[in-house]
Amino acid sequence: QVQLVQSGGGSAQAGGSLRLSCTASGLAYRRYCMGWFRQIQGKEREGVAVHDIDLRPTYANSVKGRFTISQDVDKHTVYLEMNDLKTEDTAMYYCAAGSCWKLAEAWGGRAEETVDYWGQGSQVTVSS
């Protein structure tokens, strides 16, 4: 009965900002990791920003310096602040949670099959 509920996203102009939130419930174990992936139609789901067990972030090169991942551990909530948005950021964004080693492995591909739990997705559309 694990659930990841996302909120936020929407539409923005190039150069604007948006924020995503994701709250996890039903996780019965203490050691888990959370992060964000995105998927463009016709392409593989790819990593955007992921926390390791010590909350150290890993960012995709395409978003480094523009996006920031943060987490409220007590509230089981992870956030993604997206600044200086580009049209290339347009995608469906998915919250991910589960075993930390699986989130790390998902950076190499096959993310949909590797990650334990996914949020419902949030559309982000950036126009020029």
Side-chain angles (χ1 to χ4, degrees), residues 39-113:
Q39 189 165 19
I40 301 170
Q41 185 176 359
K43 297 187 65 178
E44 184 180 51
R45 192 170 298 185
E46 63 182 13
V48 177
V50 173
H51 275 155
D52 70 4
I53 191 67
D54 297 313
L55 298 181
R56 291 176 294 191
T58 297
Y59 294 99
N61 288 332
S62 59
V63 307
K64 189 174 297 184
R66 299 187 297 117
F67 291 10
T68 302
I69 184 173
S70 61
Q71 190 166 338
D72 187 330
V73 176
D74 292 335
K75 297 184 181 297
H76 310 292
T77 299
V78 65
Y79 306 91
L80 185 68
E81 182 72 29
M82 301 177 286
N83 298 314
D84 192 24
L85 284 163
K86 304 179 183 299
T87 56
E88 294 81 11
D89 297 318
T90 296
M92 186 73 72
Y93 285 71
Y94 294 92
C95 176
S99 300
C100 296
W101 73 268
K102 289 186 175 181
L103 262 68
E105 184 177 353
W107 279 95
R110 303 183 65 184
E112 293 181 71
E113 300 95 324

Side-chain angles (χ1 to χ4, degrees), residues 16-34:
S17 299
L18 292 169
R19 188 172 74 172
L20 298 173
S21 299
C22 174
T23 298
S25 62
L27 288 168
Y29 53 96
R30 196 167 186 266
R31 296 182 63 185
Y32 66 92
C33 290
M34 301 184 73

